[in-house]
Amino acid sequence: AQSVSQHNHHVILSEAASLELGCNYSYGGTVNLFWYVQYPGQHLQLLLKYFSGDPLVKGIKGFEAEFIKSKFSFNLRKPSVQWSDTAEYFCAVNAQAAGNKLTFGGGTRVLVKP
Amino acid sequence: DGGITQSPKYLFRKEGQNVTLSCEQNLNHDAMYWYRQDPGQGLRLIYYSQIVNDFQKGDIAEGYSVSREKKESFPLTVTSAQKNPTAFYLCASNFRLAGGYNEQFFGPGTRLTVL
């Protein structure tokens, strides 16, 4: 079955550390890629998205992600995290062949210690 | 304020009872979606609707039903046939784009607990 995989379920790190969250998908063809974040008690919100063009995309709050087509990956990075980055992060894929639907990865809970 | 509202925020029901979760949007979005969120499983699509009076099953539709009588409303009924209904339910919406895709926007969610 086609799927979206996030490698880490839980990540714990200290402030100022660098963060990288992995995301791989198994869809062929054209894809649109997203990272969403869910802060404690808040709505799910979009961090960044890739539709086409430069495979290195920058999002809000200093996050960026790189689309590597050959590796079917869309990893999320932040060079220096803050306590306020504590949240759950979800990778999501819209495969053009699937129409107007999103498939989500299982999520990664990130805890940043002050 | 434009956005997606879901009510109630918390809902408790006895086993065997049907329950309806509300989702309303004033963004003039064409499409609306219902997801279920469980720890470690991300969000899984229950039902979606791309236009009024039409909807399709998602990946886990069994035990759920929906209606789309108005563009701004997409209520979800969790029936007694749903074997494990306790979960966090999220509603989303977006514009339809011919030949393309638009990002989805999400509501605040309803946490359903079946006792």
Side-chain angles (χ1 to χ4, degrees):
Chain A
Q2 295 175 322
S3 66
V4 180
S5 300
Q6 291 183 238
H7 311 304
N8 307 97
H9 292 159
H10 292 92
V11 172
I12 302 174
L13 59 168
S14 299
E15 278 193 312
S18 64
L19 173 69
E20 181 159 359
L21 302 181
C23 174
N24 285 89
Y25 60 92
S26 61
Y27 297 91
T30 301
V31 290
N32 301 306
L33 303 161
F34 305 83
W35 276 97
Y36 281 87
V37 61
Q38 192 172 37
Y39 297 105
Q42 294 189 28
H43 295 207
L44 201 68
Q45 58 184 281
L46 185 69
L47 263 183
L48 47 77
K49 60 188 176 186
Y50 173 80
F51 282 15
S52 64
D54 188 344
L56 184 63
V57 292
K58 295 195 184 298
I60 60 171
K61 305 189 180 188
F63 284 90
E64 64 179 30
E66 185 174 13
F67 171 48
I68 303 180
K69 190 173 182 179
S70 60
K71 294 185 178 180
F72 296 86
S73 71
F74 189 54
N75 293 353
L76 180 71
R77 298 192 291 252
K78 184 168 183 178
S80 176
V81 295
Q82 301 172 309
W83 174 79
S84 58
D85 293 320
T86 293
E88 189 160 16
Y89 294 80
F90 296 94
C91 180
V93 177
N94 164 252
Q96 197 170 66
N100 200 21
K101 297 195 303 181
L102 273 184
T103 300
F104 283 83
T108 300
R109 285 186 183 271
V110 174
L111 173 63
V112 179
K113 298 189 292 185
Chain B
D1 281 340
I4 304 170
T5 56
Q6 291 185 243
S7 61
K9 189 172 181 179
Y10 299 96
L11 189 55
F12 296 88
R13 279 293 181 269
K14 291 184 180 178
E15 197 172 335
Q17 289 182 333
N18 292 356
V19 60
T20 297
L21 281 58
S22 166
C23 177
E24 305 275 330
Q25 54 96 3
N26 61 4
L27 301 167
N28 201 31
H29 284 168
D30 311 291
M32 297 185 73
Y33 309 80
W34 273 105
Y35 295 90
R36 171 184 171 133
Q37 184 178 0
D38 296 282
Q41 298 193 57
L43 280 69
R44 292 180 292 167
L45 184 64
I46 304 173
Y47 267 98
Y48 63 107
S49 167
Q50 305 215 55
I51 55 172
V52 175
N53 292 322
D54 187 44
F55 48 83
Q56 290 80 40
K57 292 182 180 179
D59 301 318
I60 54 164
E62 187 173 347
Y64 299 98
S65 65
V66 293
S67 62
R68 187 87 187 277
E69 297 176 2
K70 298 186 294 183
K71 188 175 185 178
E72 59 270 23
S73 177
F74 191 42
L76 173 75
T77 297
V78 184
T79 75
S80 56
Q82 168 49 233
K83 291 181 171 48
N84 186 20
T86 294
F88 189 52
Y89 291 87
L90 284 166
C91 179
S93 67
N94 68 350
F95 287 113
R96 288 183 67 198
L97 187 64
Y101 181 75
N102 271 318
E103 68 183 82
Q104 293 181 19
F105 294 83
F106 286 81
T110 292
R111 188 165 297 279
L112 173 65
T113 302
V114 175
L115 306 170

Short mmCIF file of all heavy atoms in Angstrom, two decimals, chain B residues 52-90:
data_model
loop_
_atom_site.label_atom_id
_atom_site.label_comp_id
_atom_site.label_asym_id
_atom_site.label_seq_id
_atom_site.Cartn_x
_atom_site.Cartn_y
_atom_site.Cartn_z
N VAL B 52 -21.15 20.15 -2.73
CA VAL B 52 -22.39 19.93 -1.98
C VAL B 52 -23.14 18.73 -2.55
O VAL B 52 -23.13 18.48 -3.75
CB VAL B 52 -23.26 21.20 -2.04
CG1 VAL B 52 -24.61 20.97 -1.37
CG2 VAL B 52 -22.55 22.36 -1.37
N ASN B 53 -23.76 17.98 -1.63
CA ASN B 53 -24.57 16.81 -1.97
C ASN B 53 -23.77 15.66 -2.58
O ASN B 53 -24.34 14.77 -3.23
CB ASN B 53 -25.72 17.18 -2.92
CG ASN B 53 -26.76 18.06 -2.23
OD1 ASN B 53 -27.06 17.87 -1.06
ND2 ASN B 53 -27.27 19.03 -2.95
N ASP B 54 -22.46 15.67 -2.34
CA ASP B 54 -21.63 14.56 -2.81
C ASP B 54 -20.53 14.32 -1.79
O ASP B 54 -19.97 15.27 -1.24
CB ASP B 54 -21.02 14.90 -4.17
CG ASP B 54 -20.29 13.70 -4.76
OD1 ASP B 54 -20.84 12.58 -4.70
OD2 ASP B 54 -19.17 13.88 -5.26
N PHE B 55 -20.21 13.05 -1.52
CA PHE B 55 -19.11 12.73 -0.62
C PHE B 55 -18.59 11.34 -0.96
O PHE B 55 -19.28 10.54 -1.60
CB PHE B 55 -19.54 12.81 0.85
CG PHE B 55 -20.83 12.09 1.18
CD1 PHE B 55 -20.84 10.73 1.42
CD2 PHE B 55 -22.02 12.80 1.27
CE1 PHE B 55 -22.03 10.08 1.73
CE2 PHE B 55 -23.21 12.15 1.58
CZ PHE B 55 -23.21 10.79 1.81
N GLN B 56 -17.35 11.09 -0.55
CA GLN B 56 -16.70 9.82 -0.83
C GLN B 56 -16.11 9.24 0.46
O GLN B 56 -15.70 10.00 1.35
CB GLN B 56 -15.55 9.99 -1.84
CG GLN B 56 -15.99 10.32 -3.25
CD GLN B 56 -16.33 11.78 -3.42
OE1 GLN B 56 -15.64 12.64 -2.88
NE2 GLN B 56 -17.37 12.08 -4.17
N LYS B 57 -16.01 7.93 0.50
CA LYS B 57 -15.36 7.27 1.62
C LYS B 57 -13.87 7.48 1.56
O LYS B 57 -13.26 7.47 0.49
CB LYS B 57 -15.65 5.77 1.59
CG LYS B 57 -17.10 5.42 1.87
CD LYS B 57 -17.30 3.91 1.86
CE LYS B 57 -18.75 3.56 2.15
NZ LYS B 57 -18.98 2.10 2.12
N GLY B 58 -13.28 7.66 2.74
CA GLY B 58 -11.83 7.70 2.86
C GLY B 58 -11.31 6.31 3.19
O GLY B 58 -11.90 5.31 2.82
N ASP B 59 -10.22 6.28 3.93
CA ASP B 59 -9.56 5.01 4.22
C ASP B 59 -10.21 4.21 5.34
O ASP B 59 -10.04 3.00 5.43
CB ASP B 59 -8.09 5.28 4.58
CG ASP B 59 -7.37 5.98 3.45
OD1 ASP B 59 -7.59 5.61 2.28
OD2 ASP B 59 -6.59 6.92 3.73
N ILE B 60 -10.95 4.90 6.22
CA ILE B 60 -11.51 4.21 7.39
C ILE B 60 -12.97 4.62 7.61
O ILE B 60 -13.36 5.04 8.69
CB ILE B 60 -10.68 4.48 8.66
CG1 ILE B 60 -10.50 5.99 8.91
CG2 ILE B 60 -9.31 3.82 8.56
CD1 ILE B 60 -10.03 6.32 10.31
N ALA B 61 -13.80 4.47 6.60
CA ALA B 61 -15.18 4.97 6.65
C ALA B 61 -16.14 4.07 7.45
O ALA B 61 -17.23 4.53 7.84
CB ALA B 61 -15.70 5.14 5.24
N GLU B 62 -15.78 2.84 7.70
CA GLU B 62 -16.72 1.92 8.34
C GLU B 62 -17.12 2.41 9.73
O GLU B 62 -16.28 2.74 10.56
CB GLU B 62 -16.10 0.53 8.46
CG GLU B 62 -17.09 -0.51 8.97
CD GLU B 62 -16.52 -1.92 8.93
OE1 GLU B 62 -15.48 -2.14 8.30
OE2 GLU B 62 -17.15 -2.80 9.55
N GLY B 63 -18.44 2.45 9.96
CA GLY B 63 -18.95 2.90 11.26
C GLY B 63 -19.19 4.40 11.34
O GLY B 63 -19.56 4.91 12.39
N TYR B 64 -18.98 5.09 10.24
CA TYR B 64 -19.20 6.54 10.18
C TYR B 64 -20.17 6.88 9.04
O TYR B 64 -20.30 6.13 8.09
CB TYR B 64 -17.89 7.28 9.92
CG TYR B 64 -16.82 7.09 10.96
CD1 TYR B 64 -15.80 6.15 10.78
CD2 TYR B 64 -16.82 7.85 12.12
CE1 TYR B 64 -14.81 5.97 11.72
CE2 TYR B 64 -15.82 7.68 13.08
CZ TYR B 64 -14.83 6.74 12.87
OH TYR B 64 -13.85 6.57 13.82
N SER B 65 -20.85 8.03 9.17
CA SER B 65 -21.64 8.54 8.07
C SER B 65 -21.55 10.06 8.06
O SER B 65 -21.23 10.68 9.07
CB SER B 65 -23.11 8.11 8.19
OG SER B 65 -23.71 8.68 9.33
N VAL B 66 -21.78 10.66 6.88
CA VAL B 66 -21.70 12.11 6.73
C VAL B 66 -22.84 12.59 5.85
O VAL B 66 -23.52 11.80 5.20
CB VAL B 66 -20.36 12.55 6.09
CG1 VAL B 66 -19.18 12.28 7.02
CG2 VAL B 66 -20.17 11.88 4.74
N SER B 67 -23.00 13.90 5.82
CA SER B 67 -23.90 14.55 4.88
C SER B 67 -23.28 15.87 4.47
O SER B 67 -22.45 16.43 5.20
CB SER B 67 -25.28 14.78 5.50
OG SER B 67 -25.19 15.65 6.61
N ARG B 68 -23.66 16.37 3.30
CA ARG B 68 -23.15 17.67 2.85
C ARG B 68 -24.30 18.39 2.14
O ARG B 68 -24.33 18.52 0.93
CB ARG B 68 -21.96 17.49 1.91
CG ARG B 68 -21.28 18.80 1.53
CD ARG B 68 -20.23 19.25 2.45
NE ARG B 68 -19.70 20.56 2.18
CZ ARG B 68 -18.74 20.84 1.29
NH1 ARG B 68 -18.25 19.88 0.52
NH2 ARG B 68 -18.31 22.07 1.17
N GLU B 69 -25.21 18.88 2.95
CA GLU B 69 -26.39 19.56 2.42
C GLU B 69 -26.11 21.03 2.14
O GLU B 69 -26.81 21.66 1.34
CB GLU B 69 -27.56 19.40 3.37
CG GLU B 69 -27.99 17.93 3.55
CD GLU B 69 -29.09 17.77 4.58
OE1 GLU B 69 -29.55 18.79 5.14
OE2 GLU B 69 -29.49 16.62 4.82
N LYS B 70 -25.13 21.59 2.83
CA LYS B 70 -24.75 23.00 2.64
C LYS B 70 -23.24 23.07 2.44
O LYS B 70 -22.49 22.27 3.00
CB LYS B 70 -25.15 23.83 3.85
CG LYS B 70 -26.62 23.86 4.15
CD LYS B 70 -26.94 24.83 5.28
CE LYS B 70 -26.35 24.37 6.59
NZ LYS B 70 -26.72 25.28 7.72
N LYS B 71 -22.80 24.06 1.69
CA LYS B 71 -21.38 24.20 1.39
C LYS B 71 -20.56 24.38 2.67
O LYS B 71 -19.45 23.89 2.77
CB LYS B 71 -21.17 25.39 0.46
CG LYS B 71 -19.76 25.52 -0.05
CD LYS B 71 -19.65 26.65 -1.05
CE LYS B 71 -18.26 26.71 -1.67
NZ LYS B 71 -18.15 27.79 -2.68
N GLU B 72 -21.12 25.08 3.65
CA GLU B 72 -20.33 25.43 4.81
C GLU B 72 -20.36 24.38 5.92
O GLU B 72 -19.69 24.52 6.92
CB GLU B 72 -20.80 26.78 5.37
CG GLU B 72 -22.26 26.82 5.78
CD GLU B 72 -23.18 27.26 4.66
OE1 GLU B 72 -22.80 27.11 3.47
OE2 GLU B 72 -24.29 27.72 4.97
N SER B 73 -21.14 23.31 5.76
CA SER B 73 -21.33 22.37 6.85
C SER B 73 -21.09 20.93 6.42
O SER B 73 -21.55 20.51 5.34
CB SER B 73 -22.76 22.53 7.38
OG SER B 73 -23.03 21.59 8.40
N PHE B 74 -20.42 20.15 7.28
CA PHE B 74 -20.09 18.75 6.93
C PHE B 74 -20.11 17.93 8.23
O PHE B 74 -19.06 17.55 8.75
CB PHE B 74 -18.73 18.72 6.26
CG PHE B 74 -18.36 17.39 5.63
CD1 PHE B 74 -19.27 16.65 4.91
CD2 PHE B 74 -17.04 16.91 5.71
CE1 PHE B 74 -18.92 15.45 4.30
CE2 PHE B 74 -16.68 15.71 5.11
CZ PHE B 74 -17.61 14.98 4.41
N PRO B 75 -21.29 17.63 8.76
CA PRO B 75 -21.35 16.89 10.02
C PRO B 75 -20.98 15.42 9.85
O PRO B 75 -21.27 14.80 8.83
CB PRO B 75 -22.83 17.04 10.43
CG PRO B 75 -23.55 17.30 9.15
CD PRO B 75 -22.61 18.05 8.26
N LEU B 76 -20.36 14.89 10.89
CA LEU B 76 -19.93 13.49 10.93
C LEU B 76 -20.70 12.76 12.03
O LEU B 76 -20.70 13.22 13.17
CB LEU B 76 -18.43 13.40 11.22
CG LEU B 76 -17.86 12.00 11.46
CD1 LEU B 76 -17.74 11.24 10.15
CD2 LEU B 76 -16.49 12.09 12.13
N THR B 77 -21.32 11.64 11.69
CA THR B 77 -21.99 10.81 12.68
C THR B 77 -21.16 9.57 12.95
O THR B 77 -20.80 8.85 12.01
CB THR B 77 -23.40 10.42 12.23
OG1 THR B 77 -24.20 11.60 12.10
CG2 THR B 77 -24.07 9.50 13.26
N VAL B 78 -20.84 9.38 14.23
CA VAL B 78 -20.13 8.18 14.65
C VAL B 78 -21.21 7.21 15.12
O VAL B 78 -21.92 7.48 16.10
CB VAL B 78 -19.14 8.49 15.78
CG1 VAL B 78 -18.34 7.26 16.14
CG2 VAL B 78 -18.22 9.64 15.39
N THR B 79 -21.37 6.13 14.43
CA THR B 79 -22.46 5.21 14.74
C THR B 79 -22.00 4.13 15.72
O THR B 79 -20.80 3.97 15.98
CB THR B 79 -23.00 4.54 13.47
OG1 THR B 79 -22.07 3.53 13.04
CG2 THR B 79 -23.23 5.55 12.36
N SER B 80 -22.97 3.39 16.22
CA SER B 80 -22.67 2.32 17.16
C SER B 80 -21.90 1.18 16.49
O SER B 80 -21.33 0.32 17.16
CB SER B 80 -23.95 1.79 17.79
OG SER B 80 -24.85 1.36 16.79
N ALA B 81 -21.84 1.19 15.16
CA ALA B 81 -21.10 0.16 14.44
C ALA B 81 -19.60 0.40 14.44
O ALA B 81 -18.82 -0.49 14.08
CB ALA B 81 -21.60 0.09 12.99
N GLN B 82 -19.18 1.60 14.82
CA GLN B 82 -17.74 1.91 14.88
C GLN B 82 -17.17 1.22 16.11
O GLN B 82 -17.54 1.54 17.25
CB GLN B 82 -17.53 3.41 14.91
CG GLN B 82 -16.13 3.89 15.26
CD GLN B 82 -15.01 3.23 14.49
OE1 GLN B 82 -14.06 2.71 15.06
NE2 GLN B 82 -15.11 3.22 13.18
N LYS B 83 -16.23 0.31 15.90
CA LYS B 83 -15.77 -0.56 16.99
C LYS B 83 -14.88 0.16 18.01
O LYS B 83 -14.83 -0.24 19.17
CB LYS B 83 -15.00 -1.74 16.40
CG LYS B 83 -15.89 -2.72 15.65
CD LYS B 83 -15.10 -3.90 15.11
CE LYS B 83 -16.00 -4.99 14.54
NZ LYS B 83 -17.02 -4.53 13.63
N ASN B 84 -14.19 1.18 17.59
CA ASN B 84 -13.27 1.87 18.50
C ASN B 84 -13.41 3.38 18.29
O ASN B 84 -12.51 4.01 17.72
CB ASN B 84 -11.85 1.39 18.23
CG ASN B 84 -10.86 1.97 19.22
OD1 ASN B 84 -11.24 2.41 20.31
ND2 ASN B 84 -9.60 1.98 18.85
N PRO B 85 -14.50 3.98 18.74
CA PRO B 85 -14.79 5.37 18.39
C PRO B 85 -14.02 6.42 19.19
O PRO B 85 -13.96 7.57 18.77
CB PRO B 85 -16.28 5.50 18.66
CG PRO B 85 -16.55 4.49 19.72
CD PRO B 85 -15.62 3.35 19.45
N THR B 86 -13.44 6.05 20.31
CA THR B 86 -12.74 7.04 21.13
C THR B 86 -11.51 7.54 20.38
O THR B 86 -10.62 6.76 20.06
CB THR B 86 -12.33 6.43 22.48
OG1 THR B 86 -13.52 6.12 23.22
CG2 THR B 86 -11.46 7.39 23.27
N ALA B 87 -11.48 8.83 20.09
CA ALA B 87 -10.38 9.40 19.29
C ALA B 87 -10.55 10.91 19.23
O ALA B 87 -11.54 11.47 19.72
CB ALA B 87 -10.39 8.83 17.87
N PHE B 88 -9.58 11.55 18.61
CA PHE B 88 -9.63 12.99 18.33
C PHE B 88 -10.01 13.15 16.87
O PHE B 88 -9.36 12.57 15.99
CB PHE B 88 -8.25 13.59 18.62
CG PHE B 88 -8.19 15.08 18.59
CD1 PHE B 88 -9.07 15.85 19.32
CD2 PHE B 88 -7.23 15.73 17.83
CE1 PHE B 88 -9.00 17.23 19.31
CE2 PHE B 88 -7.15 17.12 17.81
CZ PHE B 88 -8.04 17.87 18.55
N TYR B 89 -11.08 13.89 16.61
CA TYR B 89 -11.60 14.03 15.25
C TYR B 89 -11.33 15.44 14.73
O TYR B 89 -11.66 16.44 15.38
CB TYR B 89 -13.10 13.73 15.22
CG TYR B 89 -13.40 12.28 15.47
CD1 TYR B 89 -13.55 11.79 16.76
CD2 TYR B 89 -13.50 11.38 14.41
CE1 TYR B 89 -13.79 10.44 16.99
CE2 TYR B 89 -13.76 10.04 14.62
CZ TYR B 89 -13.90 9.57 15.92
OH TYR B 89 -14.15 8.24 16.14
N LEU B 90 -10.73 15.51 13.55
CA LEU B 90 -10.37 16.78 12.94
C LEU B 90 -11.11 16.97 11.63
O LEU B 90 -11.20 16.05 10.81
CB LEU B 90 -8.87 16.83 12.67
CG LEU B 90 -7.97 17.07 13.88
CD1 LEU B 90 -6.54 16.76 13.54
CD2 LEU B 90 -8.11 18.50 14.36
#
